[in-house]
Amino acid sequence: MEVLGHNQYQYSNDGDHQQQQQHDTKNRDGEIMTGTTIMALPFEGGVVVCADSRTSTGTYVANRVSDKLVQISDRIYCCRSGSAADTQALTDYVHYFLSQWSLTTGRQPTVKTAAHLMKRLIYQNKDNLQAGVIVAGWDEVHGGSVYTVTLGGSCLQLPFATGGSGSVFIAGLLDAEFQRGMSAEAARALAKKACSHAMCRDGSSGGVIRTVVISGEGVDRDYTPGNALPFGPAAVW
């Protein structure tokens, strides 16, 4: 305590201030980081969805082989990014509602229906959720289509979509190499290439690459282990 004058005192709180600064910069216990790389690329007759598999809690990798591609209908998938708990709950709700809709109508839902249902859930709870997702798939009405639903609940149909912290590293790559009317094999190869580049540059993305090709013929899942990625973790000098 420093005496400034008559009945004037200044209390030194340097220790408390330093503790407060350390507290402000430290991750909360159990905080879920949003690092990930997800994408959906349409091709002639369908869509391919792709994701890495790293889930982190703070700076600790909680799960290195998590599955971020969730089937919410027979030919509709959701790519999850954000809070693991929030996105798991959302996909469970949407899967339940779409199943009930199919039983009631006797028809399969469209990708647009699934995307707008996801949008409504996220928008109405935007203050409590941390979830950004991509809804993509194939239906008899529109064929292959891709929708992105942002953290605030905006829903946009796009030629192709990317998400997560790793997406900023591959925006130019996809802009340069994506083409409309690609074959399923070319779209899957491009998705794996882009995802592996993002995993190399983004510390919050990693693990393995999972892809799903969705078309009128059905669903085909694929798995690429970490030691067989198209682009390695370091350049060969």
Side-chain angles (χ1 to χ4, degrees):
M1 183 177 67
E2 300 175 4
V3 179
L4 300 180
H6 181 67
N7 294 332
Q8 297 182 18
Y9 302 95
Q10 178 180 353
Y11 291 89
S12 177
N13 293 321
D14 291 342
D16 295 339
H17 180 64
Q18 291 176 359
Q19 291 180 357
Q20 182 64 34
Q21 284 184 326
Q22 293 176 357
H23 177 73
D24 292 340
T25 58
K26 180 181 177 182
N27 290 329
R28 293 170 295 176
D29 293 337
E31 182 179 9
I32 303 298
M33 303 299 288
T34 58
T36 188
T37 300
I38 55 175
M39 69 188 74
L41 308 178
F43 59 87
E44 188 65 31
V47 174
V48 57
V49 293
C50 177
D52 74 312
S53 63
R54 177 172 292 178
T55 298
S56 55
T57 304
T59 57
Y60 175 75
V61 178
N63 188 349
R64 61 189 179 90
V65 288
S66 60
D67 190 357
K68 303 176 185 179
L69 306 178
V70 180
Q71 189 174 24
I72 56 178
S73 186
D74 287 350
R75 289 182 174 84
I76 303 175
Y77 270 73
C78 177
C79 309
R80 303 184 295 114
S81 72
S83 167
D86 292 347
T87 54
Q88 286 174 2
L90 285 168
T91 52
D92 287 344
Y93 274 116
V94 174
H95 179 267
Y96 170 76
F97 290 140
L98 294 180
S99 298
Q100 293 296 315
W101 189 89
S102 297
L103 290 173
T104 302
T105 63
R107 296 182 288 116
Q108 290 297 320
T110 63
V111 182
K112 183 177 181 179
T113 299
H116 281 262
L117 178 58
M118 182 71 73
K119 176 204 73 172
R120 185 171 183 177
L121 290 173
I122 293 178
Y123 179 77
Q124 291 179 345
N125 300 278
K126 60 182 179 293
D127 294 332
N128 302 314
L129 297 177
Q130 190 177 18
V133 301
I134 297 173
V135 179
W138 181 93
D139 58 70
E140 295 180 350
V141 179
H142 304 103
S145 54
V146 174
Y147 292 83
T148 181
V149 184
T150 65
L151 290 170
S154 299
C155 182
L156 301 171
Q157 184 177 9
L158 300 173
F160 66 89
T162 61
S165 59
S167 63
V168 298
F169 297 95
I170 56 174
L173 174 63
L174 289 174
D175 285 339
E177 298 200 6
F178 173 78
Q179 297 178 355
R180 293 181 181 271
M182 292 190 300
S183 65
E185 294 76 14
R188 172 172 269 171
L190 177 58
K192 289 183 179 182
K193 178 181 179 180
C195 190
S196 63
H197 276 266
M199 291 163 62
C200 177
R201 298 298 181 186
D202 178 30
S204 299
S205 300
V208 305
I209 296 178
R210 303 183 193 275
T211 60
V212 181
V213 171
I214 313 164
S215 65
E217 299 177 356
V219 173
D220 177 42
R221 291 189 67 106
D222 180 72
Y223 161 88
T224 304
N227 60 353
L229 300 178
F231 184 76
V236 178
W237 301 102

